[in-house]
Amino acid sequence: WYQRRVRVPAEHYATQAWLCLHINHVSSHEKENKMTLSNLIIILSPTLLISNTLLRCLCENAECLFPGVVLDPNKSIPTQEELKVIQSENAANTPPVEQKKDRASEDPL
């Protein structure tokens, strides 16, 4: 068993965070636009080449997964340095993911 943290480039992290937060924002206005989170996921998952389940999980938990990232039209786009700081703060506050042991490599009984 070992622990592993997944690191992605700051640009990818910011894009993923903004996309998930934006999807949540659009779905929060479903009475006006008739687009529920389920509808948005059905439409966007093939385009993004991501499973419906994973996209739903990312969107439903976006605020927890991407703390400090806020959709604000009055705020400027973060610089590379700001993105790296946000990403490192989030990595420090995120518990490591435990890697499950591969059962195929276990000795048979």
Side-chain angles (χ1 to χ4, degrees):
W1 298 81
Y2 66 95
Q3 295 178 343
R4 179 176 144 195
R5 291 181 193 261
V6 177
R7 299 218 183 253
V8 296
E11 301 84 6
H12 297 200
Y13 176 87
T15 302
Q16 184 175 8
W18 280 62
L19 180 62
C20 292
L21 290 166
H22 180 66
I23 291 170
N24 280 347
H25 176 74
V26 171
S27 71
S28 72
H29 297 284
E30 69 179 82
K31 288 185 180 181
E32 295 87 25
N33 63 24
K34 309 290 189 229
M35 291 303 289
T36 64
L37 182 58
S38 294
N39 290 345
L40 290 165
I41 288 170
I42 289 168
I43 297 300
L44 295 173
S45 63
T47 304
L48 299 172
L49 300 175
I50 188 171
S51 75
N52 290 1
T53 306
L54 180 56
L55 185 56
R56 176 177 296 283
C57 182
L58 290 171
C59 291
E60 287 178 345
N61 299 294
E63 292 174 4
C64 295
L65 292 170
F66 309 109
V69 179
V70 180
L71 294 178
D72 183 355
N74 299 318
K75 190 175 179 182
S76 63
I77 296 172
T79 64
Q80 285 286 75
E81 292 75 28
E82 291 171 332
L83 287 173
K84 288 179 182 176
V85 168
I86 290 171
Q87 185 180 23
S88 65
E89 287 172 355
N90 291 343
N93 295 327
T94 304
V97 176
E98 268 190 31
Q99 190 72 13
K100 292 185 179 182
K101 190 174 182 181
D102 182 17
R103 292 183 182 238
S105 65
E106 291 181 2
D107 291 331
L109 297 176

